[in-house]
Amino acid sequence: MAQNDKLILASGSPRRVELLAQAGIEPTRLMPMDIDETPKRSEHPRSLARRLSTGKAQAALAAIKGDPAYAGSYILAADTVVSVGRRILPKTEMIDEASSALHLLSGRSHRVFTGVCLITPDRTVRQKVIDTKVRFKRLSTTDIERYLASGQWRGKAGGYGIQGIAGSFVVKLVGSYTNVVGLPLYETLTLLSGEGFDVHAGWADA
């Protein structure tokens, strides 16, 4: 892609890479940051999404400090949190976690918060938290068992990925679809362009 601005994505999420590619943007480097994602006591889901995205961006900034190859880079980080009320659902790694999350989401509305943090070349920090409301159909035992067998829940906030089979569970969605996938494109590109990143540079080759 004909893109001169350097963008470090502080994530290893294939979904976020794919969403940026959809918008014609190719990160210069992927830097997944391993930080403690444990919610604080009584922490609101929105606050958690903001804190984790900022923490990942700042960790990436610390990792490139003093490296001339990444001088002048933009650093982008995001973190997605799924909640029912104030209850934060985990990023499911175990099948029992996913089963519990799907039973909880069945027939109910939940919210998806994605915190987006951008650190500019002059080290200004810009943040947004995007909120999408999603309602699932009532899931049958077969729906849940077969979805668990698919493995598409693994590592996903709330135990599902809307871009896969679980998209068929959605009765209603209010807000940004790409936010639920893991990176709200409109808001992310608005942040980037507002800070001087040329979001159009790769469009001819996209």
Side-chain angles (χ1 to χ4, degrees):
M1 293 183 180
Q3 182 178 300
N4 295 320
D5 294 318
K6 294 178 183 177
L7 177 65
I8 294 172
L9 179 62
S11 173
S13 165
R15 296 171 298 285
R16 293 189 178 118
V17 174
E18 289 165 5
L19 285 167
L20 286 173
Q22 178 182 325
I25 296 173
E26 182 178 344
T28 307
R29 181 178 176 184
L30 302 182
M31 292 185 65
M33 292 290 106
D34 184 16
I35 67 172
D36 183 0
E37 300 189 11
T38 306
K40 295 181 179 179
R41 186 177 180 84
S42 302
E43 188 169 26
H44 190 279
R46 178 185 293 274
S47 300
L48 177 63
R50 178 183 292 111
R51 178 171 66 84
L52 293 182
S53 61
T54 303
K56 290 175 181 179
Q58 291 174 336
L61 176 60
I64 64 165
K65 187 176 182 179
D67 188 339
Y70 298 105
S73 295
Y74 293 81
I75 299 172
L76 179 67
D79 196 88
T80 301
V81 174
V82 174
S83 69
V84 176
R86 290 181 65 96
R87 179 175 174 181
I88 296 169
L89 278 62
K91 292 176 181 173
T92 52
E93 299 296 343
M94 306 295 290
I95 197 165
D96 59 336
E97 292 177 323
S99 177
S100 177
L102 292 169
H103 279 96
L104 180 63
L105 297 176
S106 175
R108 304 178 67 169
S109 293
H110 61 278
R111 303 189 94 97
V112 181
F113 299 91
T114 299
V116 180
C117 183
L118 177 69
I119 299 180
T120 69
D122 66 4
R123 301 319 176 212
T124 300
V125 178
R126 299 288 187 223
Q127 299 166 297
K128 281 184 178 289
V129 179
I130 311 307
D131 175 8
T132 302
K133 187 174 182 180
V134 183
R135 183 173 182 83
F136 269 16
K137 72 172 186 173
R138 188 166 298 281
L139 301 175
S140 68
T141 300
T142 301
D143 286 333
I144 293 174
E145 288 178 350
R146 295 292 175 85
Y147 187 69
L148 292 173
S150 77
Q152 290 189 8
W153 51 269
R154 198 175 301 279
K156 305 291 199 306
Y160 77 93
I162 197 172
Q163 70 278 12
I165 295 167
S168 65
F169 300 163
V170 177
V171 174
K172 187 176 182 180
L173 185 150
V174 180
S176 167
Y177 170 81
T178 54
N179 179 53
V180 184
V181 179
L183 187 70
L185 279 182
Y186 166 73
E187 292 82 2
T188 299
L189 266 66
T190 298
L191 271 180
L192 284 165
S193 62
E195 295 301 328
F197 185 94
D198 186 357
V199 299
H200 304 105
W203 283 20
D205 303 317

